[in-house]
């Protein structure tokens, strides 16, 4: 994996996002972003995780307001029109977006805010917050990525095909981001994220 300075050493980050800071975790669907994020939040409860809005249907076990805000397409489009998202994108047939107000409030109150989002949204955040720390999570291989998506047992064949197709494009963009971490051994990947965030 490739390293950049830990966030405390990034003077521009402190200047532009003071007193809080924004961290973007991105990478293809199924690479393990959510699993890494959950472990990170357990180990660092001081981090604020931004709950996204989506038009996707809830998967078994997902809780509205915790996993996502599950909303209709027309509501999502109203929120886009009202400028309520910090970023949003369409992914595999559904809308996903980061609620603007909650994130900005948390940043202003000094929290480290973490977004777990797909490529287009991550690009939008990089454009609006050039000093955000962005981390791209890579799979050890496309075969392993497919295995992980299938192991979740949550997506239709069609959805799996769309996600895998898109993953190939997304992986090509990894170099646009500050840090690339391969999620092969889970603990190592988690340690790498912690090193990037906390030095
Ligand atoms: N290092 C790893 N080794 C093996 N399996 C892993 C590893 N990391 C995560 N997984 C498994 O891969 C599957 C996909 O992980 P996860 O749902 O976190 O991916 P994701 O990137 O958040 O996907 P999406 O973006 O679609 O939400 C899960 O079953 C998870 O347990
Ligand atoms: N641009 C955004 N992408 C988001 C957001 N919340 C989640 N995501 C990403 O969407 C895909 C699919 O997620 P899934 O839960 O349906 O598997 C995945 O890459 C997420 O990281 C968001 O607010 N904006």
């Amino acid at each position: 994996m490739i390293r950049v300075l830990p966030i405390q050493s990034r003077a521009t980050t402190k200047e532009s996002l003071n007193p809080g800071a924004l961290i973007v975790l991105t990478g293809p669907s199924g690479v393990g972003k959510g699993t890494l994020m959950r472990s990170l939040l357990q180990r660092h409860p001081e981090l604020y995780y931004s709950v996204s809005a989506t038009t996707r249907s809830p998967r078994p076990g997902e809780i509205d307001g915790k996993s996502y805000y599950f909303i209709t397409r027309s509501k999502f489009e109203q929120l886009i029109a009202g400028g309520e998202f910090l970023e949003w994108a369409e992914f595999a047939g559904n809308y996903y977006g980061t609620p603007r107000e909650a994130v900005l409030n948390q940043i202003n109150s000094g929290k480290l805010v973490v977004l777990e989002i797909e490529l287009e949204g991550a690009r939008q955040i990089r454009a609006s917050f050039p000093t955000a720390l962005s981390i791209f999570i890579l799979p050890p291989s496309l075969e392993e990525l497919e295995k992980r998506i299938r192991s979740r047992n949550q997506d239709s064949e069609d959805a799996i095909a769309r996600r895998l197709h898109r993953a190939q494009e997304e992986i090509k963009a990894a170099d646009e981001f500050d840090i690339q971490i391969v999620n092969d051994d889970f603990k190592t990947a988690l340690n790498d994220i912690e090193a990037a965030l906390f030095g």
Side-chain angles (χ1 to χ4, degrees):
M1 78 298 315
I2 296 156
R3 285 280 158 68
V4 294
L5 293 171
I7 203 159
Q8 291 93 332
S9 313
R10 292 160 55 99
T12 50
T13 299
K14 278 200 166 162
E15 277 164 24
S16 63
L17 293 176
N18 189 34
L22 193 54
I23 297 146
V24 180
L25 203 62
T26 190
S29 174
V31 73
K33 302 182 298 296
T35 315
L36 286 164
M37 178 69 85
R38 280 190 291 280
S39 292
L40 191 66
L41 292 172
Q42 264 173 15
R43 288 162 64 97
H44 302 279
E46 74 277 15
L47 296 173
Y48 175 83
Y49 170 68
S50 163
V51 177
S52 298
T54 184
T55 58
R56 166 167 82 59
S57 305
R59 293 173 179 148
E62 286 187 326
I63 299 167
D64 188 36
K66 194 160 182 240
S67 318
Y68 281 106
Y69 297 105
F70 294 100
I71 61 176
T72 60
R73 281 186 86 82
S74 64
K75 176 73 184 167
F76 199 104
E77 283 164 1
Q78 256 177 39
L79 294 174
I80 294 174
E84 301 281 349
F85 291 119
L86 215 49
E87 62 71 35
W88 65 272
E90 199 153 10
F91 180 89
N94 286 296
Y95 285 132
Y96 295 81
T98 301
R100 174 185 297 277
E101 197 180 334
V103 168
L104 295 183
N105 285 344
Q106 293 296 325
I107 288 175
N108 289 333
S109 72
K111 288 266 188 184
L112 270 178
V113 175
V114 198
L115 311 182
E116 186 227 304
I117 60 179
E118 55 69 64
L119 176 64
E120 291 307 326
R123 282 177 168 153
Q124 291 170 44
I125 293 291
R126 276 179 65 76
S128 7
F129 295 91
T131 56
L133 179 73
S134 59
I135 302 176
F136 195 99
I137 309 293
L138 286 155
S141 66
L142 278 175
E143 291 71 27
E144 173 63 16
L145 185 69
E146 178 167 358
K147 223 165 91 185
R148 289 184 192 172
I149 294 178
R150 289 189 181 282
S151 76
R152 285 197 302 212
N153 225 8
Q154 307 250 340
D155 300 292
S156 64
E157 272 307 310
D158 184 46
I160 292 172
R162 275 186 284 171
R163 282 168 191 252
L164 284 173
H165 179 72
R166 181 148 170 79
Q168 297 181 42
E169 292 307 309
E170 291 182 312
I171 287 167
K172 288 183 197 155
D175 285 349
E176 293 174 26
F177 296 90
D178 295 324
I179 303 176
Q180 296 78 34
I181 291 173
V182 178
N183 182 20
D184 188 355
D185 175 66
F186 186 83
K187 274 193 183 160
T188 307
L190 185 60
N191 286 343
D192 290 341
I193 295 176
E194 287 181 318
L197 264 52
F198 306 112

PDB file of all heavy atoms in Angstrom, residues 52-68:
ATOM      1  N   SER A  52     -25.830   7.673   4.855  1.00  0.00           N
ATOM      2  CA  SER A  52     -26.257   8.127   3.534  1.00  0.00           C
ATOM      3  C   SER A  52     -27.744   7.905   3.324  1.00  0.00           C
ATOM      4  O   SER A  52     -28.365   7.096   4.020  1.00  0.00           O
ATOM      5  CB  SER A  52     -25.519   7.334   2.455  1.00  0.00           C
ATOM      6  OG  SER A  52     -24.144   7.547   2.541  1.00  0.00           O
ATOM      7  N   ALA A  53     -28.277   8.589   2.325  1.00  0.00           N
ATOM      8  CA  ALA A  53     -29.628   8.304   1.855  1.00  0.00           C
ATOM      9  C   ALA A  53     -29.522   7.444   0.602  1.00  0.00           C
ATOM     10  O   ALA A  53     -28.555   7.577  -0.164  1.00  0.00           O
ATOM     11  CB  ALA A  53     -30.349   9.600   1.530  1.00  0.00           C
ATOM     12  N   THR A  54     -30.479   6.551   0.410  1.00  0.00           N
ATOM     13  CA  THR A  54     -30.485   5.745  -0.816  1.00  0.00           C
ATOM     14  C   THR A  54     -31.908   5.399  -1.222  1.00  0.00           C
ATOM     15  O   THR A  54     -32.807   5.354  -0.377  1.00  0.00           O
ATOM     16  CB  THR A  54     -29.677   4.432  -0.657  1.00  0.00           C
ATOM     17  OG1 THR A  54     -29.645   3.749  -1.920  1.00  0.00           O
ATOM     18  CG2 THR A  54     -30.279   3.489   0.373  1.00  0.00           C
ATOM     19  N   THR A  55     -32.055   5.118  -2.522  1.00  0.00           N
ATOM     20  CA  THR A  55     -33.348   4.629  -3.025  1.00  0.00           C
ATOM     21  C   THR A  55     -33.337   3.100  -3.116  1.00  0.00           C
ATOM     22  O   THR A  55     -34.331   2.506  -3.527  1.00  0.00           O
ATOM     23  CB  THR A  55     -33.660   5.224  -4.415  1.00  0.00           C
ATOM     24  OG1 THR A  55     -32.600   4.861  -5.314  1.00  0.00           O
ATOM     25  CG2 THR A  55     -33.767   6.736  -4.355  1.00  0.00           C
ATOM     26  N   ARG A  56     -32.202   2.473  -2.776  1.00  0.00           N
ATOM     27  CA  ARG A  56     -32.151   1.002  -2.784  1.00  0.00           C
ATOM     28  C   ARG A  56     -33.059   0.458  -1.684  1.00  0.00           C
ATOM     29  O   ARG A  56     -33.226   1.086  -0.638  1.00  0.00           O
ATOM     30  CB  ARG A  56     -30.690   0.553  -2.567  1.00  0.00           C
ATOM     31  CG  ARG A  56     -30.549  -0.902  -2.213  1.00  0.00           C
ATOM     32  CD  ARG A  56     -29.157  -1.437  -2.293  1.00  0.00           C
ATOM     33  NE  ARG A  56     -28.253  -1.213  -1.185  1.00  0.00           N
ATOM     34  CZ  ARG A  56     -28.457  -1.612   0.075  1.00  0.00           C
ATOM     35  NH1 ARG A  56     -29.595  -2.183   0.442  1.00  0.00           N
ATOM     36  NH2 ARG A  56     -27.525  -1.393   1.001  1.00  0.00           N
ATOM     37  N   SER A  57     -33.597  -0.757  -1.908  1.00  0.00           N
ATOM     38  CA  SER A  57     -34.421  -1.389  -0.864  1.00  0.00           C
ATOM     39  C   SER A  57     -33.515  -1.895   0.246  1.00  0.00           C
ATOM     40  O   SER A  57     -32.392  -2.335  -0.024  1.00  0.00           O
ATOM     41  CB  SER A  57     -35.167  -2.599  -1.437  1.00  0.00           C
ATOM     42  OG  SER A  57     -35.903  -2.194  -2.538  1.00  0.00           O
ATOM     43  N   PRO A  58     -34.007  -1.882   1.488  1.00  0.00           N
ATOM     44  CA  PRO A  58     -33.187  -2.398   2.587  1.00  0.00           C
ATOM     45  C   PRO A  58     -32.896  -3.884   2.402  1.00  0.00           C
ATOM     46  O   PRO A  58     -33.748  -4.637   1.943  1.00  0.00           O
ATOM     47  CB  PRO A  58     -34.065  -2.189   3.821  1.00  0.00           C
ATOM     48  CG  PRO A  58     -35.175  -1.310   3.413  1.00  0.00           C
ATOM     49  CD  PRO A  58     -35.296  -1.348   1.924  1.00  0.00           C
ATOM     50  N   ARG A  59     -31.680  -4.284   2.761  1.00  0.00           N
ATOM     51  CA  ARG A  59     -31.342  -5.713   2.806  1.00  0.00           C
ATOM     52  C   ARG A  59     -31.753  -6.234   4.180  1.00  0.00           C
ATOM     53  O   ARG A  59     -31.879  -5.441   5.123  1.00  0.00           O
ATOM     54  CB  ARG A  59     -29.833  -5.908   2.633  1.00  0.00           C
ATOM     55  CG  ARG A  59     -29.333  -5.517   1.253  1.00  0.00           C
ATOM     56  CD  ARG A  59     -27.806  -5.578   1.222  1.00  0.00           C
ATOM     57  NE  ARG A  59     -27.286  -5.242  -0.091  1.00  0.00           N
ATOM     58  CZ  ARG A  59     -26.125  -4.625  -0.291  1.00  0.00           C
ATOM     59  NH1 ARG A  59     -25.362  -4.271   0.727  1.00  0.00           N
ATOM     60  NH2 ARG A  59     -25.717  -4.369  -1.515  1.00  0.00           N
ATOM     61  N   PRO A  60     -31.897  -7.556   4.296  1.00  0.00           N
ATOM     62  CA  PRO A  60     -32.247  -8.086   5.619  1.00  0.00           C
ATOM     63  C   PRO A  60     -31.247  -7.585   6.664  1.00  0.00           C
ATOM     64  O   PRO A  60     -30.043  -7.597   6.425  1.00  0.00           O
ATOM     65  CB  PRO A  60     -32.125  -9.608   5.429  1.00  0.00           C
ATOM     66  CG  PRO A  60     -32.270  -9.830   3.958  1.00  0.00           C
ATOM     67  CD  PRO A  60     -31.743  -8.598   3.278  1.00  0.00           C
ATOM     68  N   GLY A  61     -31.785  -7.119   7.777  1.00  0.00           N
ATOM     69  CA  GLY A  61     -30.914  -6.660   8.872  1.00  0.00           C
ATOM     70  C   GLY A  61     -30.561  -5.189   8.809  1.00  0.00           C
ATOM     71  O   GLY A  61     -30.082  -4.627   9.783  1.00  0.00           O
ATOM     72  N   GLU A  62     -30.779  -4.553   7.667  1.00  0.00           N
ATOM     73  CA  GLU A  62     -30.447  -3.122   7.574  1.00  0.00           C
ATOM     74  C   GLU A  62     -31.539  -2.298   8.260  1.00  0.00           C
ATOM     75  O   GLU A  62     -32.723  -2.589   8.127  1.00  0.00           O
ATOM     76  CB  GLU A  62     -30.288  -2.692   6.108  1.00  0.00           C
ATOM     77  CG  GLU A  62     -28.994  -3.198   5.491  1.00  0.00           C
ATOM     78  CD  GLU A  62     -28.720  -2.654   4.102  1.00  0.00           C
ATOM     79  OE1 GLU A  62     -29.697  -2.433   3.333  1.00  0.00           O
ATOM     80  OE2 GLU A  62     -27.550  -2.466   3.754  1.00  0.00           O
ATOM     81  N   ILE A  63     -31.098  -1.273   8.976  1.00  0.00           N
ATOM     82  CA  ILE A  63     -32.027  -0.472   9.769  1.00  0.00           C
ATOM     83  C   ILE A  63     -32.088   0.943   9.198  1.00  0.00           C
ATOM     84  O   ILE A  63     -31.046   1.575   8.986  1.00  0.00           O
ATOM     85  CB  ILE A  63     -31.572  -0.429  11.245  1.00  0.00           C
ATOM     86  CG1 ILE A  63     -31.555  -1.852  11.807  1.00  0.00           C
ATOM     87  CG2 ILE A  63     -32.450   0.489  12.089  1.00  0.00           C
ATOM     88  CD1 ILE A  63     -30.825  -1.967  13.132  1.00  0.00           C
ATOM     89  N   ASP A  64     -33.325   1.412   8.989  1.00  0.00           N
ATOM     90  CA  ASP A  64     -33.509   2.767   8.458  1.00  0.00           C
ATOM     91  C   ASP A  64     -32.954   3.771   9.459  1.00  0.00           C
ATOM     92  O   ASP A  64     -33.243   3.704  10.656  1.00  0.00           O
ATOM     93  CB  ASP A  64     -35.003   3.023   8.219  1.00  0.00           C
ATOM     94  CG  ASP A  64     -35.237   4.340   7.493  1.00  0.00           C
ATOM     95  OD1 ASP A  64     -34.415   4.705   6.625  1.00  0.00           O
ATOM     96  OD2 ASP A  64     -36.233   5.015   7.802  1.00  0.00           O
ATOM     97  N   GLY A  65     -32.135   4.698   8.982  1.00  0.00           N
ATOM     98  CA  GLY A  65     -31.565   5.718   9.863  1.00  0.00           C
ATOM     99  C   GLY A  65     -30.221   5.301  10.437  1.00  0.00           C
ATOM    100  O   GLY A  65     -29.507   6.128  10.998  1.00  0.00           O
ATOM    101  N   LYS A  66     -29.893   4.009  10.318  1.00  0.00           N
ATOM    102  CA  LYS A  66     -28.612   3.544  10.847  1.00  0.00           C
ATOM    103  C   LYS A  66     -27.729   3.044   9.698  1.00  0.00           C
ATOM    104  O   LYS A  66     -26.589   3.455   9.546  1.00  0.00           O
ATOM    105  CB  LYS A  66     -28.862   2.413  11.855  1.00  0.00           C
ATOM    106  CG  LYS A  66     -27.674   2.099  12.677  1.00  0.00           C
ATOM    107  CD  LYS A  66     -28.017   1.357  13.961  1.00  0.00           C
ATOM    108  CE  LYS A  66     -26.725   1.132  14.730  1.00  0.00           C
ATOM    109  NZ  LYS A  66     -26.462  -0.278  14.946  1.00  0.00           N
ATOM    110  N   SER A  67     -28.305   2.133   8.889  1.00  0.00           N
ATOM    111  CA  SER A  67     -27.553   1.643   7.728  1.00  0.00           C
ATOM    112  C   SER A  67     -27.602   2.715   6.639  1.00  0.00           C
ATOM    113  O   SER A  67     -26.579   3.062   6.041  1.00  0.00           O
ATOM    114  CB  SER A  67     -28.176   0.360   7.200  1.00  0.00           C
ATOM    115  OG  SER A  67     -28.539  -0.500   8.249  1.00  0.00           O
ATOM    116  N   TYR A  68     -28.790   3.151   6.368  1.00  0.00           N
ATOM    117  CA  TYR A  68     -29.078   4.197   5.377  1.00  0.00           C
ATOM    118  C   TYR A  68     -30.374   4.876   5.792  1.00  0.00           C
ATOM    119  O   TYR A  68     -31.136   4.326   6.593  1.00  0.00           O
ATOM    120  CB  TYR A  68     -29.356   3.573   3.995  1.00  0.00           C
ATOM    121  CG  TYR A  68     -28.155   3.145   3.191  1.00  0.00           C
ATOM    122  CD1 TYR A  68     -27.844   1.791   3.046  1.00  0.00           C
ATOM    123  CD2 TYR A  68     -27.359   4.069   2.523  1.00  0.00           C
ATOM    124  CE1 TYR A  68     -26.747   1.375   2.278  1.00  0.00           C
ATOM    125  CE2 TYR A  68     -26.270   3.661   1.755  1.00  0.00           C
ATOM    126  CZ  TYR A  68     -25.972   2.321   1.639  1.00  0.00           C
ATOM    127  OH  TYR A  68     -24.895   1.915   0.880  1.00  0.00           O
TER     128      TYR A  68
END
